[in-house]
Amino acid sequence: MSDTTNQTGTPRVKTGLAEMLKGGVIMDVVTAEQAKIAEDAGAVAVMSLERVPADIRAAGGVARMADPTIVESIVAAVSIPVMAKCRIGHFVEAQILQSLGVDYIDESEVLTPADEEHHVDKWRFTVPFVCGCRNLGEALRRIGEGASMVRTKGEPGTGNVVEAVRHIRAVSDEIAWLKGLRGEQLYAAAKDLQAPYDLVKWVADNGKLPVVNFSAGGIATPADAALMMQLGCDGVFVGSGIFKSGDPAKRAKAIVEATTHFEDADIIARVSRNLGEAMVGINISDIPDSERMQERGW
Amino acid sequence: MTKRIGVLALQGAFREHMISVEALGATTVAVRLPEQLEGLDGLIIPGGESTAIGKLMTTYRFYEPIIHRHAVGMAVWGTCAGAILIAREIADCLVDQRSLELMDINVRRNAYGRQAASFEADLDVAHIAGGDFRGVFIRAPWIESVGEGVEVLARHGGHIAAARQGRLMATTFHPELTGDPRIHRLFLEEIVGE
């Protein structure tokens, strides 16, 4: 029997949009004007928020979902997909973002968590979710809750790529470890990873994550973006790195080109020239444990 | 002779197309620079973001080489964003957006709406045996009108979802996400040909 009615919100449709973003750069923007700059530079999507992570870090206090007016003005300004962040576990912020027509919801550790035990039940939404992870277990827990895309967390708002590297290496190493296990060992592995067994088995059989994985949290230069791509990420999020730099339009375009040509050092060298001042970075050891965003999420 | 198929690899779901084409016995090339178009029997422009792919095509000077290679025999298939990029006309064209103007079709971007309206549905596709094809439409365009000499291959909800014209094919949905090889086979056997 053929079914010609439109079935929306299926897993394939949700993960499919992430597949279309691969090899691309998703940029944090706080105004419609920045969103246009990002689109013109070749961004595959924009993340609409009230403050970039570096400013959230500086401001302190509770960081929440952006004002709907900001999200709407960005949705109206560009034709590329628009993402927006809700607090971890804040399913009403997620409901609002879905009603505003955003294309992807980021349940994000950059904002202050609303629930220290539960994440949003993402299966209940038509709009897909992306979530952060530091290791394979965290990635698979989020996918088990219905995330259609993951991103390694890094440490947002630092301009320091070291945590992003640590997290993608952790995920890759754990996938390689699972591949080498025998069938009966996978049950114990699922227990160790605190992840659903069927997802652990899928990763062991296929040698990769079941959804697209981008890199986030600390990417500031074209070389950083290419590094994350060579380490196996499917694409990159750049948060504070663009609009906290000296020449955002030029830097944004250079990061887009380096992400596409991530194995071509001649091109990366060319686009890295004369980009002006990069954002001032922060050493991770200078951030108190309580202010590390990556520790949020369970 | 083994067919040599390039997949434009600037951004988007190019890997899935390469896997689908290789499973049918052709060799593939991930095309990131214009000189890699040399010697290709066919080129697939994949789904992705049409504005992002278009900008990289401009920066890396892909337009004239693709138009030239097609004129001397290279088949071209565009899926989703790729269908927009090979169209003669984009109904809701952005100011600085440019298409290759290869195929006599008029395409409307994001025609079904935003991601919440993305969908799957069964399609009756001409020239393929074995029943319906599961169409995956992601922020998909539709083909608003076609010129003479363009054969419509599939419609959905009153709009054209697939068409062919000589050595060109456009699909607004994503066969590369389904694991169903029939449309890739149609491209290799009938559009690329011998």
Side-chain angles (χ1 to χ4, degrees):
Chain A
M1 269 296 285
S2 63
D3 183 359
T4 58
T5 57
N6 292 8
Q7 292 190 297
T8 58
T10 64
R12 191 151 56 185
V13 161
K14 289 169 149 186
T15 56
L17 178 54
E19 300 286 346
M20 297 309 136
L21 301 176
K22 282 188 305 192
V25 182
I26 299 169
M27 302 181 191
D28 277 3
V29 298
V30 300
T31 63
E33 189 192 8
Q34 288 186 352
K36 280 302 292 176
I37 292 171
E39 183 176 52
D40 288 344
V44 289
V46 290
M47 176 73 70
S48 60
L49 58 178
E50 204 155 299
R51 295 191 187 117
V52 296
D55 289 338
I56 290 173
R57 203 175 270 295
V62 175
R64 309 180 181 90
M65 177 191 83
D67 186 313
T69 317
I70 294 176
V71 178
E72 280 169 336
S73 70
I74 289 166
V75 165
V78 293
S79 72
I80 54 177
V82 175
M83 300 183 167
K85 290 183 193 290
C86 73
R87 284 180 265 175
I88 289 173
H90 205 314
F91 49 85
V92 174
E93 285 188 349
Q95 290 163 5
I96 293 168
L97 292 174
Q98 176 162 283
S99 93
L100 293 176
V102 305
D103 298 289
Y104 242 96
I105 297 172
D106 184 359
E107 187 183 15
S108 178
E109 68 281 1
V110 166
L111 305 182
T112 309
D115 188 326
E116 296 194 334
E117 214 168 326
H118 309 98
H119 283 248
V120 173
D121 176 3
K122 294 165 271 288
W123 295 110
R124 299 165 67 98
F125 289 77
T126 308
V127 167
F129 279 73
V130 56
C131 289
C133 65
R134 286 163 302 172
N135 51 50
L136 183 60
E138 200 172 6
L140 297 182
R141 286 195 293 281
R142 298 295 86 80
I143 296 164
E145 296 157 0
S148 308
M149 174 180 182
V150 292
R151 50 175 177 72
T152 49
K153 286 177 177 172
E155 186 57 42
T158 60
N160 186 343
V161 81
V162 66
E163 295 300 301
V165 169
R166 187 191 318 283
H167 298 157
I168 185 62
R169 284 199 184 275
V171 171
S172 304
D173 288 354
E174 286 168 318
I175 291 173
W177 164 67
L178 280 188
K179 277 171 72 179
L181 297 185
R182 292 159 52 96
E184 71 275 14
Q185 293 176 297
L186 293 175
Y187 296 97
K191 188 186 69 182
D192 292 342
L193 291 170
Q194 299 178 52
Y197 169 76
D198 55 343
L199 290 174
V200 171
K201 173 86 165 70
W202 194 96
V203 172
D205 290 344
N206 292 277
K208 58 176 188 176
L209 286 171
V211 302
V212 165
N213 177 32
F214 270 45
S215 170
I219 294 157
T221 67
D224 288 348
L227 174 68
M228 299 315 299
M229 294 297 288
Q230 287 200 27
L231 285 171
C233 289
D234 294 315
V236 298
F237 283 88
V238 186
S240 320
I242 289 172
F243 289 101
K244 286 284 160 191
S245 75
D247 188 343
K250 192 172 180 188
R251 181 168 295 265
K253 185 163 183 284
I255 292 176
V256 168
E257 290 183 43
T259 302
T260 291
H261 297 285
F262 65 93
E263 292 179 308
D264 191 328
D266 293 341
I267 289 178
I268 302 167
R270 180 173 56 73
V271 302
S272 296
R273 290 199 178 99
N274 302 317
L275 292 181
E277 196 130 346
M279 74 177 279
V280 179
I282 303 175
N283 287 315
I284 306 302
S285 55
D286 294 342
I287 306 171
D289 285 355
S290 62
E291 290 176 21
R292 289 194 193 178
M293 293 172 175
Q294 61 176 282
E295 307 295 336
R296 301 165 171 176
W298 3 98
Chain B
M1 262 283 284
T2 309
K3 287 165 188 153
R4 197 173 150 82
I5 306 298
V7 182
L8 194 65
L10 298 175
Q11 189 272 314
F14 52 86
R15 209 176 307 138
E16 288 64 28
H17 273 298
M18 294 174 77
I19 292 165
S20 303
V21 167
E22 282 164 15
L24 295 170
T27 59
T28 59
V29 182
V31 176
R32 289 191 172 87
L33 295 169
E35 48 266 35
Q36 293 167 322
L37 296 166
E38 204 63 39
L40 295 182
D41 300 305
L43 176 71
I44 299 174
I45 305 181
E49 280 309 311
S50 60
T51 52
I53 297 173
K55 281 171 200 303
L56 285 162
M57 282 172 58
T58 301
T59 306
Y60 287 84
R61 298 195 171 82
F62 268 100
Y63 282 87
E64 303 316 320
I66 291 176
I67 292 164
H68 170 73
R69 296 296 315 168
H70 172 66
V72 297
M74 181 179 75
V76 183
W77 170 20
T79 53
C80 194
I84 296 167
L85 287 161
I86 66 172
R88 179 182 48 77
E89 201 175 336
I90 306 172
D92 52 340
C93 198
L94 297 175
V95 182
D96 57 347
Q97 191 167 31
R98 186 187 162 196
S99 71
L100 290 156
E101 299 176 28
L102 294 176
M103 187 168 176
D104 197 3
I105 55 176
N106 184 333
V107 175
R108 181 171 295 278
R109 298 157 60 238
N110 305 340
Y112 298 91
R114 307 191 67 85
Q115 172 63 14
S118 293
F119 64 96
E120 298 183 29
D122 287 338
L123 304 173
D124 179 11
V125 183
H127 303 293
I128 66 167
D132 287 338
F133 194 94
R134 192 70 175 161
V136 180
F137 295 79
I138 307 213
R139 285 173 45 97
W142 67 44
I143 300 172
E144 208 141 272
S145 61
V146 301
E148 269 179 56
V150 177
E151 181 192 358
V152 172
L153 297 174
R155 289 176 191 274
H156 175 74
H159 296 284
I160 300 164
R164 60 181 280 186
Q165 177 183 26
R167 296 175 78 75
L168 298 164
M169 182 164 79
T171 55
T172 61
F173 52 97
H174 294 282
E176 79 282 6
L177 295 183
T178 59
D180 184 336
R182 289 178 293 163
I183 293 182
H184 286 85
R185 192 177 295 127
L186 177 72
F187 176 65
L188 291 178
E189 289 178 359
E190 295 198 23
I191 312 293
V192 176
E194 292 314 309

